[in-house]
Amino acid sequence: MKSVSRLLASLTVLAAAVHAQSVKVSHADIPAPPIAARAYVLFDASSGQSLSSLAASDRFEPASLTKLMTAYLTFKALKEKKIALDKAVTVSERAWKAEGSRMFIDPKQSPTVENLIRGMIVQSGNDASIALAEAVAGSEEVFALAMNREAQALGLKNTKFMNATGLPHPEHYSTADDLAQLAHALIRDFPQELAYYREKEFTWNKITQPNRNRLLWLDATVDGLKTGHTEAAGYCLVATAKRGDADKSRRLISVLLGTSSDVARMQESQKLLNYGYQFFDAQRLYKKNDPVATLEIFKGSQNTVKLGFERDMWLTLPKDKFANLKATLSTHQPMMAPLTRGQKAGTLKLTQNDKLIAELPVVALEDVPVAGVLGRGWDAIRLLFK
């Protein structure tokens, strides 16, 4: 079979209005196995596609899955050097008396930021989460505001945080889809910190607690991420696995909300991950910054502009559906300057036997500023004959 890159080497360019704003993919349904959960999403991290879902946009109590955002902001603060891993943290009475799962810190101790990260991730400690929130933002209330700002920045449209722990609150909610996006952002933006999620146990105060993610013992390809449970939320799990050879490895993320037990969330997550790897494949269509097309542009400092993608562009499809793909680039015509690098300039539509498979946003790979008066005047004349 021809490679996907060769199949897409011939590109049709159309002059058309563009409406698509994000990656949109449709494919022939391969039914997922029955999943015993109130909501779930199976997400391919390489292509950014959802492969299967149930009630993905319905709001649920996220329980300790909230700590994915607490971790994200903690890692961000470390990256920005607002805190340091070896910084000793004062334990407040509020953190000490936190309800629910705990790391068992107390005001007589001064755990480091890294101790607290392990206590939050491995032990799911609410006390550790509050202590980190206070270390980063001064108080849990201010930290919750930062959580919501970050949620908006990440495009989590149906998520609201009221605390750093996931303890129940009527205005504290998220969705399976948003949690998949959050997990993806965490892995993408902080790949080195993913190592914390692989740790199977952590000891603090002479108390050793195991990681509640049982898949770490069951499946060697699973390296995260987070469990959650309250009476209202049920048993929840965001899991991620990476399988395949180094140059062809794929990462999938599964989000399960509202299963009936600790064992059920493990079994159903494993079932969903296996389904994704067994029936789907991801292939790279275009490399980052490689031109998809070079098109004519008017009233600019140059006469052409290169269009392409700012990241490697992957496509996930059922394993037997990659043959006979056809690419068509739709752009606004005539294309006019100014155009800035990264600005959306068109949509690449992938079809197969006249059926739409995917719509991928294409951007300018270079800046094209406005030309001078003479250049603009000459192009105005040229446009009269277009």
Side-chain angles (χ1 to χ4, degrees):
M1 187 180 78
K2 293 182 180 179
S3 70
V4 172
S5 58
R6 288 183 62 194
L7 287 167
L8 297 179
S10 177
L11 179 68
T12 302
V13 180
L14 298 179
V18 175
H19 300 288
Q21 297 299 316
S22 59
V23 176
K24 297 181 180 178
V25 179
S26 62
H27 50 69
D29 289 335
I30 297 180
I35 301 296
R38 281 185 271 171
Y40 73 81
V41 165
L42 179 63
F43 183 85
D44 191 313
S46 59
S47 63
Q49 294 170 226
S50 175
L51 306 184
S52 183
S53 64
L54 172 71
S57 59
D58 290 356
R59 292 177 178 179
F60 291 92
E61 182 182 315
S64 282
L65 303 183
T66 298
K67 291 166 184 152
L68 293 173
M69 180 59 86
T70 306
Y72 188 96
L73 288 181
T74 299
F75 297 151
K76 186 177 181 180
L78 285 164
K79 185 176 182 179
E80 295 172 350
K81 301 188 184 304
K82 294 179 179 178
I83 55 174
L85 287 175
D86 59 357
K87 175 186 176 181
V89 177
T90 300
V91 178
S92 69
E93 185 172 352
R94 178 172 181 165
W96 175 42
K97 294 185 176 180
E99 299 176 359
S101 54
R102 298 174 62 199
M103 174 184 172
F104 297 106
I105 53 177
D106 67 56
K108 298 177 183 178
Q109 303 168 326
S110 295
T112 65
V113 167
E114 188 165 37
N115 293 148
L116 294 171
I117 288 172
R118 287 194 164 97
M120 174 182 65
I121 290 174
V122 182
Q123 300 177 330
S124 199
N126 291 336
D127 49 357
S129 300
I130 294 172
L132 283 170
E134 293 173 343
V136 171
S139 72
E140 189 179 11
E141 290 79 9
V142 174
F143 189 80
L145 294 175
M147 294 171 79
N148 289 318
R149 283 196 301 271
E150 197 65 43
Q152 289 184 341
L154 293 173
L156 311 185
K157 298 178 181 179
N158 289 297
T159 293
K160 185 176 182 182
F161 297 111
M162 299 302 295
N163 56 60
T165 61
L167 287 170
H169 188 287
E171 295 183 47
H172 190 102
Y173 55 80
S174 189
T175 68
D177 189 39
D178 278 3
L179 289 166
Q181 297 293 335
L182 174 56
H184 184 213
L186 182 67
I187 295 167
R188 178 195 66 217
D189 297 344
F190 305 103
Q192 300 303 315
E193 285 75 8
L194 186 60
Y196 290 117
Y197 291 92
R198 290 194 291 268
E199 296 182 12
K200 293 182 177 179
E201 65 178 30
F202 179 60
T203 301
W204 181 259
N205 230 356
K206 299 181 180 180
I207 302 171
T208 299
Q209 297 185 64
N211 195 313
R212 290 167 173 80
N213 183 1
R214 293 183 178 224
L215 283 179
L216 293 175
W217 285 267
L218 182 67
D219 185 340
T221 69
V222 170
D223 52 6
L225 276 167
K226 192 70 192 75
T227 61
H229 172 256
T230 65
E231 185 175 346
Y235 289 83
C236 308
L237 174 61
V238 175
T240 184
K242 191 174 185 180
R243 299 182 189 175
D245 298 333
D247 58 337
K248 294 183 179 179
S249 62
R250 292 173 59 210
R251 179 172 293 282
L252 296 184
I253 298 168
S254 63
V255 178
L256 264 73
L257 305 179
T259 67
S260 61
S261 69
D262 180 21
V263 173
R265 69 183 171 191
M266 173 193 69
Q267 292 175 337
E268 300 305 290
S269 295
Q270 182 77 87
K271 191 190 302 183
L272 202 53
L273 290 170
N274 287 343
Y275 158 74
Y277 284 112
Q278 182 177 355
F279 292 105
F280 293 87
D281 195 8
Q283 296 192 25
R284 185 171 61 186
L285 305 184
Y286 299 100
K287 292 183 179 180
K288 174 183 177 180
N289 293 329
D290 276 3
V292 170
T294 301
L295 299 185
E296 188 175 29
I297 187 168
F298 292 89
K299 299 189 177 183
S301 60
Q302 60 194 58
N303 294 326
T304 61
V305 59
K306 293 181 176 65
L307 306 183
F309 301 99
E310 289 188 302
R311 63 180 177 86
D312 286 353
M313 187 55 64
W314 293 73
L315 180 68
T316 305
L317 291 173
K319 288 187 174 181
D320 62 347
K321 297 297 182 182
F322 279 93
N324 303 319
L325 285 176
K326 179 182 176 182
T328 302
L329 178 62
S330 298
T331 65
H332 287 293
Q333 291 293 329
M335 189 171 289
M336 309 289 287
L339 203 59
T340 58
R341 180 182 176 89
Q343 182 178 339
K344 188 173 183 292
T347 298
L348 189 71
K349 295 185 179 182
L350 301 179
T351 57
Q352 187 179 65
N353 301 323
D354 297 325
K355 180 180 179 181
L356 181 64
I357 299 297
E359 294 184 339
L360 312 174
V362 176
V363 302
L365 296 179
E366 54 189 332
D367 293 325
V368 183
V370 174
V373 175
L374 291 178
R376 294 199 307 273
W378 173 246
D379 277 357
I381 296 173
R382 292 175 62 209
L383 285 167
L384 294 175
F385 298 93
K386 290 294 288 184

